[in-house]
Amino acid sequence: MRAVVWLVLLFTAAVVAAVTLGRNDGIVSVYWGGWRVELSLNLFVFSLLALCVLLVTVAHALGSLLSLPARAREWRALRHERAAQGALREALGELLGARYTRSHKAAQRALGIDQARPHGRADRDLQVLAHLLSAISLHRLQDRRQRDEQMQRARALRRPGAPGTGDDGVHLLAAEWAVDDRDAQAALDLLAELPPGVARRTQALRLRLQAQRLAGQSLEALRTARLLSKHQGFSTQAARGLLRSLATQALDDTHDLDQLQRAWQQLDSADQQDAVVASRAARRAAALGDAALARGWLRPLWERLGELGVDEREQAALALLHAVDGIGSDWLPRLEVALDAHPNEPAVVAAVGAAFADRQLWGKARQPLEQAARSQTLAGAARRHAWRTLARLAREQGDEARAAACEAAAAAID
């Protein structure tokens, strides 16, 4: 098909040339200093075109000749750049292949080639990446001194207000290595230098979370983990377990009631409604001597006890077991409902029995306490509490032999 098209174009050109130039009855006369030259119109036109082509060719030749030194410099610079890029690719390949010494040497060779570039400005981005690859290799080789030196050189190449390739990686890698070195404060300082957009990236949030946990900043770590969970940095189940763990750790780190209340107020509503977190807070409050505060945090859980899972109900019941001292009569209706609804759950039975005993309702308390004391699935501390409460009940009834037997049973529990 292409040959047919060219053939048609050739015939068209021939027809146009024959029509236009066929008669050749025009004459062009050129006068110069008494001389006259007469040319046919066709010859003059072809001569003029040939002269133009010649002039253009000469101009191009002169331009190429004059630009030869510049093109030679560009060729030498291009050769150096290709050599430096090749060494950089070699360093990356060796790093991925776990040949860290070779990777370090290749990165250093790339730096040397780039610095030896003739009559040209060094490639800053290439140097930053070469320093980073060298630092990563040295980190794998556990050479912290040279690693930090390479990292400092990479940071020194940073230009304020002009972000370039590798600038964010310098800070993120330095923060990651600070976490690996167990230097939480250095990691947090490095992360604080990141721009807001970079600081919200998933990797930056992960590093911040690790550094905050390493520094013992449980509440800050909880906020970071919640933000990371919104960015889908964890699976749903893993995020729930992590948030619960951080919230309980923040509560356990308190040393008095004021600290505990401040920590509780800083938790999100989702954390406060979590049965495990609220139960841990209640147990901590009871351990610090405020059983009323503990029961206040447990009340919402006991009002929806049937909606909780078995494990969550157990946590809520054991927390109440630690906070029964001084329990009010307003708790009795919900305790009876809980006992009727979950008569085969030892933790719930133990908590209800302990609450009845604290209200000196010995008749109601005895059967739940005996059931809890004989349970093999209940925690040892709860079983001991049940036996000792039964011993106190026996003494109230004047049965010292039974009281001694209950005390012995409590002491026998590991």
Side-chain angles (χ1 to χ4, degrees), residues 4 7 13 43 76 131-132 159 163 168 172 209 256 284 293 337 366 379 392 410:
V4 174
L7 187 62
L43 179 59
R76 288 193 296 270
H131 282 302
L132 282 179
R159 292 173 296 183
D168 299 338
L172 290 174
L209 174 61
D256 55 44
R284 187 62 181 161
L293 178 63
V337 170
R366 182 170 182 173
R392 184 158 56 92

Side-chain angles (χ1 to χ4, degrees), residues 81-365:
E81 182 178 356
R82 286 178 176 175
Q85 292 288 347
L88 194 66
R89 288 193 296 269
E90 180 185 352
L92 180 59
E94 299 290 359
L95 177 64
L96 296 176
R99 292 185 288 267
Y100 304 121
T101 302
R102 293 183 183 182
S103 176
H104 168 62
K105 291 180 179 179
Q108 293 300 308
R109 187 166 63 254
L111 287 170
I113 294 173
D114 187 72
Q115 291 170 358
R117 180 180 302 183
H119 307 292
R121 188 173 56 185
D123 189 339
R124 172 192 169 276
D125 291 340
L126 184 144
Q127 290 188 3
V128 171
L129 291 176
H131 282 302
L132 282 179
L133 289 175
S134 182
I136 294 171
S137 301
L138 292 169
H139 177 72
R140 297 295 186 180
L141 294 171
Q142 299 296 315
D143 190 345
R144 291 184 173 84
R145 183 185 63 81
Q146 291 194 58
R147 178 201 70 186
D148 295 339
E149 181 181 347
Q150 292 295 321
M151 187 61 68
Q152 289 298 328
R153 291 180 181 178
R155 296 184 67 182
L157 292 171
R158 184 180 182 185
R159 292 173 296 183
T165 302
D167 287 345
D168 299 338
V170 170
H171 284 84
L172 290 174
L173 281 174
E176 180 179 352
W177 295 339
V179 171
D180 291 343
D181 295 340
R182 313 293 293 178
D183 191 349
Q185 190 57 48
L188 291 173
D189 292 341
L190 288 166
L191 292 170
E193 297 177 9
L194 291 174
V198 181
R200 289 192 294 269
R201 295 176 185 172
T202 301
Q203 176 63 11
L205 292 175
R206 288 181 185 275
L207 293 174
R208 187 181 300 279
L209 174 61
Q210 294 176 15
Q212 288 170 341
R213 296 188 71 179
L214 187 62
Q217 301 175 2
S218 302
L219 288 173
E220 290 78 2
L222 179 60
R223 298 189 189 97
T224 304
R226 191 169 295 282
L227 183 60
L228 192 57
S229 176
K230 292 179 181 178
H231 289 180
Q232 298 181 350
F234 305 110
S235 64
T236 304
Q237 195 67 23
R240 182 180 181 185
L242 178 61
L243 293 173
R244 177 178 288 174
S245 174
L246 290 172
T248 55
Q249 183 179 352
L251 295 170
D252 290 341
D253 289 342
T254 59
H255 302 289
D256 55 44
L257 287 172
D258 290 337
Q259 287 184 353
L260 179 61
Q261 288 180 321
R262 284 197 300 270
W264 175 260
Q265 292 171 359
Q266 292 178 20
L267 296 179
D268 288 350
S269 59
D271 297 324
Q272 294 179 353
Q273 294 173 7
D274 188 285
V276 176
V277 176
S279 300
R280 183 65 65 89
R283 294 181 69 166
R284 187 62 181 161
L288 293 174
D290 195 338
L293 178 63
R295 290 193 298 272
W297 288 339
L298 289 173
R299 186 186 299 272
L301 299 181
W302 279 81
E303 290 176 349
R304 55 184 180 91
L305 198 64
E307 302 175 6
L308 304 179
V310 176
D311 294 337
E312 294 176 336
R313 263 197 308 273
E314 181 180 2
Q315 293 294 325
L318 293 177
L320 182 63
L321 187 62
H322 289 79
V324 294
D325 293 342
I327 192 169
S329 58
D330 56 318
W331 274 81
L332 295 179
R334 64 174 60 91
L335 291 174
E336 293 176 350
V337 170
L339 184 60
D340 293 338
H342 311 286
N344 297 320
E345 296 187 15
V348 176
V349 173
V352 173
F356 285 159
D358 187 80
R359 294 294 302 173
Q360 296 185 354
L361 301 175
W362 304 115
K364 291 185 176 182

